[in-house]
Amino acid sequence: MAQIIIDKRNGELAFRLERLENLSQFDHLQRKNYYSLILLNSSNYTLNVDVSSYELEGNQMICLSPYQPFMITSEESCSGWLLNFHPDFFCTYRHQNEVETEGVLFNNFHGLPHFKISKEVLFFNLIDQISKEMDRDSIAQHEVLVAFLKVFLIEALRQKKEFDANIVPRISDGQSEILQNLVDAIEKKYSELHSPSEYADILCVSPKTLAGVVKKYLNQTPSILISNRIIIEAKRELYLTSKPLKQIAANLGYDDEFYFSRFFKKKVGVSPDVYRKTVGFAKLDQL
């Protein structure tokens, strides 16, 4: 049964905790305008996020950003927990200096959207405390739940970084250097260079070699990596600022704001205007 807190200002979901007995609610592609943390335990299940598919097993945490498309399926029984929070409830950008979720748990343009849990008891203890607090409906409940959420996210960050560190040694051949150089180059040049061939030139490799490396290690394409990084910055600008779309588009290297708007909608599923109204700046000043 789900425990839900509704934002009284707009009637939208602010915070939710739900015990999962199966994956039926995730068996179709969906996009939500809030963050999702999903803890699952099963022998085998399939996670589809954006355009990538992952075969998972055991205790895993899945971390999803607002409007990130996903679905989860399994032919076996699966249980776990679902925790949702809207950016109005807890602004990850504003608290980035305290809890560095962006770029690790959420909006990581080249990393995995999941990690294997090594210390699940810590999360279960926090979930129990969150559940009890939601039942109380007492004074300063929002502040208490935010405190628990921060601890939850910090522990998730620690375990995610540990998980990422453990998989790095597997990427040990010479091609891994090309991948790392590509990630670094995209981070520096995403607002200027949008074509994989331009990055191939920078790295002094052929576009075919670059595509092969990205496919091998990330099961994606260079174009997807580049566009993902652009969209992450666009979301940040839409969330945190009141800049007009034309200015945001120009800052990201797009002279035509209408072309950029179509690009954004194709990637995110909603227009920049809808994203800003349901997730971003239109609500930020009320926090």
Side-chain angles (χ1 to χ4, degrees), residues 1 6 27 36 43 51 60 71 108 121 124 139 175 202 215 224 230 241 251 265 270 273:
M1 182 177 178
I6 299 298
D27 65 1
S36 296
S43 298
V51 295
Q60 298 268 353
M71 65 181 293
N108 186 335
V121 66
F124 295 150
I139 189 171
Q175 291 183 333
I202 289 176
K215 176 68 175 178
I224 290 175
I230 293 169
T241 77
N251 291 344
K265 185 174 182 178
V270 296
D273 183 58

Side-chain angles (χ1 to χ4, degrees), residues 96-155:
Q96 183 72 354
N97 291 334
E98 305 167 45
V99 190
E100 298 177 10
T101 58
E102 297 302 316
V104 183
L105 295 181
F106 309 114
N107 293 316
N108 186 335
F109 78 96
H110 61 86
L112 297 173
H114 67 87
F115 62 94
K116 195 171 184 63
I117 299 172
S118 58
K119 302 171 184 176
E120 62 270 16
V121 66
L122 294 174
F123 293 116
F124 295 150
N125 287 340
L126 285 168
I127 286 171
D128 182 59
Q129 294 180 74
I130 290 171
S131 178
K132 290 177 179 177
E133 181 61 29
M134 293 182 76
D135 280 339
R136 293 178 65 185
D137 191 24
S138 57
I139 189 171
Q141 184 188 59
H142 177 272
E143 287 72 16
V144 174
L145 288 176
V146 165
F148 283 139
L149 178 59
K150 284 184 181 180
V151 176
F152 191 99
L153 292 172
I154 288 170
E155 186 55 43

